Amino acid sequence: MTLNNGTAASQGPTAGAARRPGYAGTLAAACGAVFVAQVANALPASLNGLFQQDLNTHGSQLTWITAAFMIAVVCFEFTFGVLGDLFGRRKLVVAGTALVAVGSTVAALAPDVRTLWVGAAVNGLGAGAMFPGSLTAATSVTRTARERSQAVALWSGFLSAGAAVSPLLGGMFAKVGSWRGSFWVLVGLALVSMVLTATLATESREPEGRKLDVAGQITFALGLILVLFGLVEGPESGWTTLPVMLSLALGLCFLAGFVVVELGARSPIFDLRLFRNRAFAVSSVVAVVGMLAFLGACFTTSMWLGPVQHQDPIRVAVPFLLLQGPAFVLVPVVSRLLHRVPASWLLTSGFAAMAVGCLLGARLDVHDPGLGPFVAPTLLIGVGFALTVSSVTAVALDSVPRKLAGMASATTNMLRDLGFALGPVVVGAVALSGAGSAFAASLSGADLPVHQLAAAREIGEAQGPIAVNGLPPGAPGSAAHDLALDALGSGFSTAYLVCAGAAALAAVLTAVGMGGLRRDRAARHEDAAPAHAPATV
């Protein structure tokens, strides 16, 4: 029997065959690991305002806190997928969790924003190992397509639960003590996850045909880092400055070199042949575009409530319950829908909901500190994310043979996380560039005292309107606070519009590119049949 979305279900005495040994323990450890990794990812969301006050940060420096984490995740996720296949997914997750403990310790002790970047980058390295390692470990102990989809949905739910809890954790500790306390809690969570993974998870590996691709890793990492550096620094340094132009040009050259290297590699970390499969190719593209929209909206919300409106960290955390909570709460619903509704319908509906939510976000009033106007947009974005994050992963994994699951897992995670990395970078560039231009224009006709006008112009040119917006009353340039606030509201409203456009594009690509797709029949039979061979150890 074949389900509506093309998933084969086994019948007769083999239906519901006994799961592989260690199924429950491995799944529990994988969900715990991805929860910790996502807590590390989302923790700065409610703390950006405090980072600005305590560490004297400005626009691009705040962007780098989030970007340093995601760049580390994306750059090395390919290689981590290979290492997991070669040496074992359990070992990979344990090592990644140890890195998160180290990175969180560095962040908790950070005396300045640059040290905080280092902590974020180390956390990103750890999470970059934990994301593909935990997902592949969870799917390796499943026997049927149904079990695999359920495992993926549960894993995705804990990923979102970590993102929802993390801002509350940061806000709570900021309220009773310091933002540093939240990083110490993350150290504790990481140590607990290490113990759970080491004691409960079953080791699995798939070394056949897998080798380290050093040339591919180097060209990819250099290319991505240089391109994202240019995108982050462009709004404040200027898009035509030599460092920004060189970083963008060299980055694109390295990425082009990466494609050439992978086409000729005997064991590529990024097998371009995967994209011959239409379902995998389409799901990969919409993963980047759609997740750009989602995390771009999350970053915009964090900046709007934190460094722009200077709201209490606990209040900043509240909208993130609506942004991230639905993906956890709706785990059983999405899991069932994956077997009853074509994946293209779920993806299209989810991205459409995200687009509408972002459009509503663009209508927010920066002078209104109330949280009520955030309910509808954040809930729509959150429900849309819940429908898409599991679906895009399930489609990608179910569209390839099981022997390529490790590479497909790493590739899918990397592309999803590439979208996550691009989200803050792209919307930050759009928002800060737009706000800077609007602020400069408003200053030219402002009726302010000469010394205040001169100070505001100087600070705005050096650090952007977000620095002027953060000046204490009476400080030189503080008289331009309202002008800076209006400019930032305009810039981040435009950022919401960019997110809406990206989500709408993902919905159209899904509807057109995946309409009528069904899984390959041979792959269906392979996945539906019970796997009699024991798990690889």
Side-chain angles (χ1 to χ4, degrees), residues 150-497:
Q150 290 172 343
V152 169
L154 189 61
W155 180 92
S156 301
F158 272 86
L159 181 146
S160 290
V165 168
S166 189
L168 286 175
L169 176 68
M172 179 181 67
F173 274 88
K175 189 76 172 177
V176 300
S178 168
W179 56 267
R180 300 176 188 275
S182 57
F183 283 102
W184 287 121
V185 172
L186 181 54
V187 173
L189 290 175
L191 294 176
V192 171
S193 179
M194 283 179 62
V195 173
L196 290 177
T197 302
T199 57
L200 297 180
T202 299
E203 186 63 283
S204 65
R205 59 172 68 95
E206 194 73 41
E208 183 180 356
R210 300 290 271 153
K211 295 180 181 179
L212 290 174
D213 179 9
V214 177
Q217 175 62 81
I218 291 174
T219 53
F220 179 73
L222 289 176
L224 189 62
I225 290 171
L226 287 168
V227 167
L228 293 181
F229 173 84
L231 291 176
V232 172
E233 292 298 318
E236 289 190 4
S237 300
W239 294 104
T240 58
T241 57
L242 186 60
V244 171
M245 293 177 66
L246 276 179
S247 66
L248 291 173
L250 288 175
L252 292 174
C253 288
F254 274 113
L255 290 178
F258 168 71
V259 174
V260 173
V261 167
E262 294 307 283
L263 287 173
R266 304 181 82 178
S267 181
I269 55 173
F270 186 27
D271 194 341
L272 297 175
R273 292 174 298 177
L274 288 172
F275 290 91
R276 294 175 182 172
N277 182 297
R278 184 180 168 195
F280 186 88
V282 173
S283 67
S284 297
V285 173
V286 300
V288 176
V289 178
M291 296 308 105
L292 182 157
F294 175 72
L295 206 69
C298 290
F299 181 75
T300 301
T301 302
S302 170
M303 294 292 287
W304 184 288
L305 294 172
V308 175
Q309 290 190 332
H310 302 294
Q311 298 221 35
D312 185 281
I314 289 291
R315 288 175 61 83
V316 176
V318 171
F320 283 87
L321 291 175
L322 300 178
L323 286 167
Q324 301 281 4
F328 180 73
V329 174
L330 297 178
V331 164
V333 176
V334 175
S335 180
R336 291 185 178 89
L337 287 175
L338 282 170
H339 289 277
R340 290 168 171 79
V341 178
S344 59
W345 293 10
L346 291 180
L347 289 171
T348 302
S349 300
F351 289 132
M354 288 169 58
V356 174
C358 291
L359 285 174
L360 292 177
R363 298 174 60 87
L364 293 169
D365 181 3
V366 74
H367 293 281
D368 182 3
L371 296 181
F374 280 90
V375 172
T378 54
L379 185 59
L380 280 170
I381 295 169
V383 171
F385 179 66
L387 293 175
T388 56
V389 66
S390 297
S391 304
V392 74
T393 305
V395 169
L397 289 182
D398 286 341
S399 64
V400 301
R402 186 177 288 270
K403 66 180 181 180
L404 294 178
M407 179 177 289
S409 171
T411 302
T412 301
N413 277 281
M414 189 284 299
L415 292 171
R416 182 201 66 214
D417 293 335
L418 177 59
F420 285 160
L422 289 173
V425 171
V426 170
V427 302
V430 169
L432 295 175
S433 293
S437 299
F439 182 63
S442 62
L443 277 180
S444 62
D447 183 18
L448 297 175
V450 175
H451 71 283
Q452 286 281 351
L453 185 61
R457 181 174 287 111
E458 181 179 354
I459 296 171
E461 290 175 352
Q463 300 182 357
I466 201 165
V468 178
N469 184 59
L471 292 172
S478 61
H481 173 272
D482 287 345
L483 298 178
L485 182 62
D486 288 336
L488 290 167
S490 173
F492 282 102
S493 292
T494 304
Y496 274 122
L497 289 176

